Amino acid sequence: MYKDSLVTAETLDSGLINLLLHNSAISQEQSSHVLDTMTLDGRAAPDALIANQVLSSDALARTLGDYFKEPVGNITDYPYMTTCEQLDKRSLCLNHSVLPLKIVDSMLYLAVSDPTDLDAQDEFRFATGLMIRPIIVDHLQLKGALRKLYGKNIEASCKDTLSVSNSELEELADFDISESTDDLMTDEAPVSRYIQQVILDAVRKQASDVHFEPFEQSYRIRFRLDGILQLHSSPPAGVSRRLSTRLKILAKLNIAERRLPQDGRIKLNISDSKSVDMRVSTLPTLWGEKVVLRILDGGSVALDIDSLGYNEKQKADYLHALDRPQGMILITGPTGSGKTVSLYTGLKYLNTAERNIATAEDPVEINLPGINQVNINNDIGLDFAKALRAFLRQDPDVVMVGEIRDLETAEIGIKAAQTGHLVLSTLHTNSAAESITRLANMGVAPYNLAASLSLVIAQRLARRLCKHCKEPHPADDNQLIALQKHYPSLRTESIYKAAPEGCDHCNHGYIGRVGIYEVVPISTELAEAIGQGASASRLQNISSASGALTLQESGIEKLNEGIVSLTELQRVISL
C-alpha cells in the first residue's frame, strides 16, 4: 500500500478509497484530499483517511465490516503474539500493516484494516503456504499491536536479509576470532547482519541507548526505552569478542586496544532515505568490552514547545526570556532529563533569517538547518571556551553552549549575555536555585550572575501513562493520604496508575515521556538576592513566593491531570 512518491494523485489507484467513494461513505472532495496525502506523504489509505479526519479508525472498521458483511474483529481475542513468533514475518507485517492472528488447520487468520489490499494476502499466502482469511480490525488497534511487537515502521533496504538465527551465532562462538577476522570486515557476515538487526530494532522501538554487555557465562543486549533499560536479546557468550570488534570497526576505533576505553561514532544507513548517527563508547570489563551506543536520532524529535509538558505560565516565561535580545537562559538537570530537547525547542523558535545563531555541542545531537553548529573536539583543543570565543567574533545574535563545565566557559558566556547576546546553556544540578549557587562556587562573581541571568529551568523526564489502559489509583492508598498532607493540592480521586500488562498501544502501561519543570524567571528581588550571594534555600523561598512551582509541585500537577503515575513520579523526583 505504500506507493512511490512519484505517483500523482490522478493516477494513484486505491481500492479502499474507490470502495468508500462508490458507496458514498466519503465525498469526491474528501477522496481527492486523501489521495493527495497518500501521494505527498507516502501514507497508506487508512492512515490518510484518519489524518484528514474523513473517517475515524472505528468508523472505517464499521463501514468496511458492513460492506463485506463481516463482524469487526478484536485483536486481543487472538493469540497473535504466539502466531507472529511462529511465522516470523516481521517485514511483511510492517510493509503491509497486517498481523497474523491465528492458524487453524491450513487457514491463517490475518488482521487487516484495508481488505482491498490483496497484495498483502497474496504475499502471506505465498510466504506461508496457507490459505488466508482476512479479519477486519480497527486500524489504530492494528498499528498499536504492530508497534508493541516491532516498534515503528522503517522501510529498510535490508529487511529479511538481516535476519540471523541463534544457531548461526552459536556456530561462530565455536571459533576463535583470531582464526578469522575477514568476516568482521564485510556487511554480509552473520555478526554484521546481527548488529544491523539489533540497531534497526532499537531505532524502530525509539530506544535512546543500546548496551552490549559481556559476562562470564552469558551475553546481554539491552535497550533504554523511555528512560528504562529493558532486555532485548541474549546471544551466545562466545560471540562477545566478535560483536565488540565489529562495533569498533564500524566506529573506526583501534580493534587491537582492549585495555582502555575508547569513543567513536557510527553512521548507519538503514534505508535509502534514512540514516542514524550513533555515539559509541567502549569500556574494558572483567569479561570483555562493554559497548554502549547512544542513538542520535534527531529526526524523531518533535521540537514543539506545546508537547514538552510546560504549563501555560511556564511556557509564557520561557517564551518571554527567548524574546529578550540579551541575557542567559540556563537549563539544568541530570543526564537524560531532556535538556537538549528543551534547548533546541527554544532554538527552533528563535531560528529566523534575521538572526545569526551558533551552537557548540559535544556532540551535535540534532541537526537544525539555518543554525551554525560546531562539534567540540577536545583532542585538538577545540573546547567550549575556545568555540565561544570564536562565536563572539562571528557577529552572533544567539549563542548556545552545550554545557558549562568550567569557570572560563561560564565567564565568557556571562560576558556575552551582558554585551547584547542571548546565551543558552545547561548545567548538571538538581534545582534552579542550586544552579545559581553552583556558578557562584565555580568563581563567577555574584553581581555578574545577577546582571546576566534571565531565566533558569530545572527539569526531569517522567514516563507518560497510556491513556488507553491506565487504571484509577485507589484513593484510600496510604501513600496518597500521606502525600496529601504535604501537598494539599493533590486530588486523590483523579490519580491513575499504569496497567501492569499494558495494552497494544503502550509499553507496560507507559508510552513516551513528559517533562516536569521548575521555571524561574529572574525577578528584581531574586537578582538582588543573587548579587548578595544568597544561599540556595533563600533563593528557593524567593522563587516560590513569586509563584514559580518547584519540581515537586509541577509533578503533583501532572499527577492530578492523570498524565503520570505516583510510582513514576517517586522514581524521578523526591516527594
Side-chain angles (χ1 to χ4, degrees):
M1 287 302 294
Y2 292 98
K3 303 295 183 182
D4 192 295
S5 59
L6 295 177
V7 177
T8 64
E10 290 75 15
T11 61
L12 184 63
D13 178 25
S14 170
L16 179 59
I17 304 305
N18 289 334
L19 183 152
L20 295 171
L21 182 60
H22 293 155
N23 286 275
S24 303
I26 63 175
S27 67
Q28 183 67 54
E29 182 181 5
Q30 288 173 323
S31 76
S32 297
H33 288 313
V34 171
L35 290 172
D36 284 341
T37 300
M38 293 172 66
T39 302
L40 296 173
D41 298 343
R43 296 195 185 199
D47 285 316
L49 286 162
I50 295 167
N52 283 278
Q53 298 182 336
V54 173
L55 286 173
S56 68
S57 180
D58 178 59
L60 175 61
R62 283 188 280 104
T63 300
L64 292 172
D66 291 343
Y67 178 80
F68 287 100
K69 304 294 190 294
E70 293 281 354
V72 176
N74 187 335
I75 290 176
T76 57
D77 293 340
Y78 297 88
Y80 69 92
M81 288 190 175
T82 303
T83 307
C84 289
E85 184 178 353
Q86 177 185 344
L87 292 177
D88 193 21
K89 299 299 177 188
R90 174 174 57 187
S91 295
L92 282 180
C93 292
L94 290 172
N95 290 343
H96 291 284
S97 288
V98 297
L99 199 65
L101 297 176
K102 68 176 181 177
I103 300 172
V104 178
D105 297 327
S106 58
M107 179 73 73
L108 170 62
Y109 290 76
L110 191 68
V112 301
S113 57
D114 179 3
T116 69
D117 181 10
L118 300 180
D119 287 345
Q121 299 176 40
D122 289 341
E123 288 194 38
F124 264 92
R125 186 180 296 110
F126 178 79
T128 63
L130 300 170
M131 292 184 290
I132 305 299
R133 168 74 187 277
I135 302 293
I136 298 170
V137 297
D138 182 291
H139 183 65
L140 292 184
Q141 186 191 35
L142 175 57
K143 289 187 70 174
L146 287 167
R147 191 198 66 80
K148 185 174 183 178
L149 279 170
Y150 305 124
K152 63 180 182 177
N153 185 23
I154 295 173
E155 294 181 74
S157 56
C158 41
K159 293 173 184 169
D160 284 330
T161 57
L162 284 179
S163 182
V164 179
S165 66
N166 234 37
S167 60
E168 282 186 89
L169 294 177
E170 286 170 358
E171 287 177 14
L172 288 174
D174 294 334
F175 296 92
D176 193 309
I177 188 174
S178 61
E179 295 177 10
S180 173
T181 57
D182 291 343
D183 64 329
L184 297 174
M185 306 303 294
T186 171
D187 291 339
E188 301 303 318
V191 166
S192 302
R193 288 187 285 121
Y194 181 72
I195 287 173
Q196 282 186 282
Q197 177 181 303
V198 168
I199 293 172
L200 189 58
D201 285 345
V203 175
R204 279 192 177 119
K205 295 186 177 182
Q206 296 180 282
S208 60
D209 302 85
V210 184
H211 292 241
F212 294 81
E213 302 170 302
F215 299 98
E216 183 178 13
Q217 300 295 335
S218 63
Y219 196 91
R220 182 173 68 183
I221 297 176
R222 294 188 291 172
F223 291 169
R224 188 173 293 279
L225 302 170
D226 294 333
I228 303 294
L229 280 171
Q230 297 182 15
L231 180 67
H232 171 261
S233 57
S234 298
V239 298
S240 168
R241 280 273 308 277
R242 291 179 180 274
L243 289 171
S244 61
T245 300
R246 177 58 185 170
L247 287 165
K248 286 162 73 174
I249 289 170
L250 290 172
K252 297 180 173 57
L253 300 178
N254 181 1
I255 63 173
E257 179 55 75
R258 298 192 298 273
R259 300 166 300 169
L260 295 173
Q262 296 186 67
D263 295 297
R265 291 176 77 99
I266 294 174
K267 183 169 185 176
L268 184 67
N269 295 318
I270 58 175
S271 74
D272 294 336
S273 59
K274 183 175 178 65
S275 63
V276 173
D277 284 312
M278 287 162 283
R279 191 168 64 202
V280 182
S281 172
T282 72
L283 180 71
T285 68
L286 189 61
W287 304 109
E289 287 182 282
K290 173 177 178 176
V291 183
V292 176
L293 310 182
R294 164 63 59 89
I295 299 175
L296 310 175
D297 187 12
S300 67
V301 179
L303 301 175
D304 175 18
I305 195 167
D306 290 321
S307 67
L308 296 185
Y310 292 99
N311 65 28
E312 287 303 314
K313 182 181 183 303
Q314 292 172 334
K315 174 185 168 183
D317 287 337
Y318 190 18
L319 293 179
H320 178 68
L322 290 169
D323 286 330
R324 296 180 62 174
Q326 66 184 58
M328 176 177 277
I329 298 173
L330 276 180
I331 299 182
T332 182
T335 300
S337 60
K339 299 188 296 295
T340 300
V341 173
S342 288
L343 279 177
Y344 267 93
T345 301
L347 289 178
K348 182 182 178 184
Y349 174 79
L350 294 167
N351 189 13
T352 64
E354 294 80 25
R355 290 189 178 97
N356 176 20
I357 304 176
T359 73
E361 304 167 70
D362 184 19
V364 173
E365 295 192 28
I366 301 172
N367 178 31
L368 268 187
I371 292 179
N372 306 289
Q373 298 171 269
V374 174
N375 253 323
I376 294 305
N377 188 343
N378 289 307
D379 292 340
I380 61 172
L382 179 58
D383 55 16
F384 284 115
K386 185 167 286 188
L388 194 46
R389 282 198 204 91
F391 290 166
L392 298 180
R393 295 192 289 271
Q394 294 266 320
D395 184 33
D397 297 296
V398 181
V399 170
M400 192 269 269
V401 182
E403 183 184 348
I404 294 177
R405 296 176 179 172
D406 52 50
L407 176 60
E408 185 180 14
T409 305
E411 287 185 331
I412 298 170
I414 283 171
K415 285 178 183 176
Q418 291 175 329
T419 55
H421 306 90
L422 182 62
V423 179
L424 293 82
S425 191
T426 70
L427 271 177
H428 283 84
T429 53
N430 292 323
S431 68
E434 287 178 31
S435 66
I436 296 170
T437 56
R438 167 81 183 277
L439 287 172
N441 290 337
M442 275 187 186
V444 178
Y447 60 85
N448 278 333
L449 280 174
S452 59
L453 282 177
S454 58
L455 184 76
V456 183
I457 300 174
Q459 67 178 75
R460 301 291 188 275
L461 284 180
R463 289 181 294 169
R464 190 189 294 266
L465 281 169
C466 174
K467 63 182 179 181
H468 299 283
C469 67
K470 63 184 181 181
E471 302 172 349
H473 193 114
D476 58 353
D477 182 83
N478 290 332
Q479 282 184 306
L480 280 183
I481 294 170
L483 200 58
Q484 197 172 36
K485 294 178 181 178
H486 293 91
Y487 301 99
S489 63
L490 179 65
R491 300 193 302 270
T492 55
E493 71 282 356
S494 62
I495 310 303
Y496 286 85
K497 64 179 182 177
E501 298 302 319
C503 68
D504 290 335
H505 298 275
C506 66
N507 185 22
H508 299 294
Y510 297 97
I511 180 165
R513 290 190 285 180
V514 65
I516 298 173
Y517 302 93
E518 176 186 14
V519 180
V520 181
I522 307 300
S523 62
T524 303
E525 185 181 2
L526 201 53
E528 288 176 358
I530 293 170
Q532 295 165 3
S535 65
S537 59
R538 185 184 167 204
L539 295 176
Q540 185 70 68
N541 291 337
I542 295 171
S543 168
S544 296
S546 69
L549 298 179
T550 63
L551 282 170
Q552 288 76 15
E553 290 166 341
S554 290
I556 295 297
E557 259 194 2
K558 298 289 188 299
L559 198 60
N560 284 336
E561 293 168 8
I563 295 174
V564 301
S565 67
L566 178 59
T567 303
E568 181 65 7
L569 201 58
Q570 290 174 324
R571 184 182 71 85
V572 297
I573 298 175
S574 299
L575 289 176

